[in-house]
Amino acid sequence: MAGAGISTAAGIPDFRSPGCGLYSNLQKYKLPDPQAIFEIGFFRQNPQPFFTLAKELYPGSFKPTLCHYFIRLLNEKGLLLRHYTQNIDTLERVAGLPAEKIVEAHGTFHTSHCLECKHEYTVDWMKERIFSDSVPTCEKCDGVVKPDIVFFGEDLPTRFFVCAEKDFPKCDLLIILGSSLTVQPFASLIDRVPKVCPRLLINRERAGHRDWVMAALQMGRGLDFDSRDNFRDVAWLGSCDEGCQMLADKLGWGDELRKLVVDEHVRISKQQNETSKRQTEYPSEKKRAESEHQ
Ligand code: OAD
C-alpha cells in the first residue's frame, strides 16, 4: 500500500507534511479549507481552483524513485500480489510495473468525463484545456469535464473493491509505504489482512496506529506498535528510498536495485532529451510526443 510519500523524492509534494505538503500551500486559492480543492461538492460550484492547481502540478518529467523500482523488483521476483496506490502521478507505471498489478485507488488522469452527460475525453484533450487556462466543458452538453481522479465525496473505482476483497485475505506480508493513512476507505485496508500477517510501515512518521481508546477497548483496528502483545507490526521511520534500499540489501538484491535505478534513470533522461530535441526540430510532432509520454 502506498501514498504520496513514495513520490516526494521525485519532486512531487505530498499532502499533509507541515510546511512543504500541498495542503499547507494553497492560501492563494482562498478555499474554505485546503481539502476543498479535491471535494466534489466544491468543484461543482467552483472548478477553477482545481484546474489552476492541475496546471501547476501537471506531471512533467518526473522520474520514479528508488522505492518505485523496489516495488517493480518485488514483482519481478514473484513476490508482489498487488500494489495499491493512492497516487495519481502514474510513476508506478513509468517504473515498469504491469497494469494488472496496480490498483489506482484514487483514480487516474488518463481519462476524463463530463459530470453531466458522462461523455469520455482523452488525456490530450484535457491537457490542452488545462494548459489554455480554461475550465474544460463538454462538447456535447456544456457540462464541466473532470479528470477521473477520485475526489472526496466520490466512489472509488470498482477495481479497488473487487481486488481488495480477493487480495487482502491472501496477503502474507503487508508493506505500507509513504502514507499518513488518514483517508478512508484506503487506510482501513490495513485491517483486512489475516490476523497473523506481519505489517511493515516504512514512513517518516508513525501512521495508522491504534489510538488509546481503541486499545483500551481491545479493538484490533489499526497498527499496534507499542503493546506488549504486538508480534507483527513494525514501524521503520525514515525515507521510503532508504527503507526500501535497506530491505533490498537484506534480501540480497541491493546492488540489483541500485543498478536498476541508475539504468532506468539514464534511459528516461535519454528518452526525454530525444523528445524535446524532436519537438524543437519538428514542432508539429509536439502533440504526438506528448501523448507518447502520457
Ligand atoms: P499524506 O501527505 O497524507 O501523507 C504522506 C506521508 O508520507 C506522511 O506521513 C509523510 O510523513 C510521509 N512522507 C513524505 N515523504 C516521505 C519520504 N520521502 N519517505 C517516507 N515518508 C515520507 O499523503 P497520503 O497518505 O498519500 O486523496 O494522502 C492520502 C490522500 O489524501 C491522497 O491520495 C489525496 C489526499 O487528500 C485525494 O485527494 C482523494
Side-chain angles (χ1 to χ4, degrees):
M1 290 169 58
I6 72 168
S7 294
T8 54
I12 303 170
D14 68 8
F15 295 90
R16 295 179 181 79
S17 284
C20 57
L22 193 61
Y23 291 151
S24 310
N25 290 289
L26 297 174
Q27 293 83 354
K28 69 176 169 189
Y29 295 103
K30 301 195 168 37
L31 302 162
D33 71 277
Q35 229 169 255
I37 202 154
F38 297 118
E39 273 164 15
I40 192 67
F42 181 81
F43 179 85
R44 281 181 186 278
Q45 287 167 6
N46 182 9
Q48 186 64 63
F50 168 77
F51 286 111
T52 310
L53 180 70
K55 183 179 176 187
E56 221 174 279
L57 292 182
Y58 202 88
S61 51
F62 300 115
K63 293 193 184 85
T65 64
L66 181 141
C67 177
H68 289 98
Y69 290 109
F70 175 73
I71 300 161
R72 167 170 155 182
L73 269 194
L74 282 179
N75 186 47
E76 288 176 359
K77 305 286 182 189
L79 294 174
L80 183 70
L81 180 59
R82 203 89 65 183
H83 174 67
Y84 285 75
T85 184
Q86 297 167 95
N87 300 343
I88 52 164
D89 55 34
T90 70
L91 287 184
E92 290 94 346
R93 287 167 189 261
V94 181
L97 201 59
E100 80 268 11
K101 284 293 172 119
I102 309 173
V103 172
E104 289 166 326
H106 292 170
T108 168
F109 256 97
H110 271 282
T111 50
S112 299
H113 281 88
C114 169
L115 288 179
E116 307 308 324
C117 74
K118 312 294 175 213
H119 188 74
E120 184 168 308
Y121 291 89
T122 64
V123 67
D124 288 336
W125 184 95
M126 176 54 74
K127 189 175 179 186
E128 214 175 295
R129 267 112 199 127
I130 288 177
F131 279 86
S132 64
D133 296 316
S134 55
V135 169
T137 49
C138 181
E139 289 166 7
K140 309 260 175 230
C141 76
D142 226 24
V144 173
V145 181
K146 177 186 142 303
D148 292 342
I149 58 174
V150 177
F151 275 36
F152 291 103
E154 287 189 303
D155 288 336
L156 272 63
T158 310
R159 178 172 162 76
F160 171 83
F161 298 101
V162 172
C163 288
E165 178 101 18
K166 279 195 310 210
D167 292 342
F168 278 76
K170 283 196 237 158
C171 184
D172 55 20
L173 167 64
L174 179 67
I175 306 179
I176 307 147
L177 298 160
S179 176
S180 62
L181 293 176
T182 47
V183 173
Q184 299 294 355
F186 191 91
S188 53
L189 288 179
I190 58 174
D191 294 315
R192 296 179 63 177
V193 294
K195 292 208 171 346
V196 291
C197 171
R199 302 181 292 189
L200 167 63
L201 171 75
I202 299 180
N203 204 41
R204 283 214 176 110
E205 56 180 3
R206 283 175 169 222
H209 47 287
R210 260 199 299 178
D211 61 31
W212 67 271
V213 181
M214 293 291 206
L217 295 173
Q218 303 221 319
M219 291 176 73
R221 298 268 159 214
L223 300 169
D224 169 21
F225 304 120
D226 299 322
S227 89
R228 271 191 300 173
D229 301 336
N230 174 32
F231 62 96
R232 62 169 180 147
D233 291 339
V234 176
W236 187 89
L237 302 185
S239 86
C240 289
D241 285 0
E242 261 179 77
C244 289
Q245 183 62 59
M246 192 180 284
L247 202 46
D249 287 336
K250 286 184 186 298
L251 287 160
W253 321 332
D255 289 339
E256 191 179 350
L257 178 57
R258 283 186 199 91
K259 184 169 174 339
L260 180 62
V261 176
V262 172
D263 290 352
E264 282 298 293
H265 281 190
V266 167
R267 187 186 64 75
I268 294 171
S269 294
K270 225 157 126 188
Q271 206 175 40
Q272 285 167 352
N273 286 343
E274 275 162 18
T275 306
S276 59
K277 204 167 134 209
R278 255 205 337 251
Q279 285 168 6
T280 320
E281 286 169 9
Y282 308 104
S284 61
E285 282 204 9
K286 190 163 183 249
K287 230 176 161 176
R288 188 168 65 81
E290 277 170 1
S291 65
E292 271 173 19
H293 176 71
Q294 292 309 317

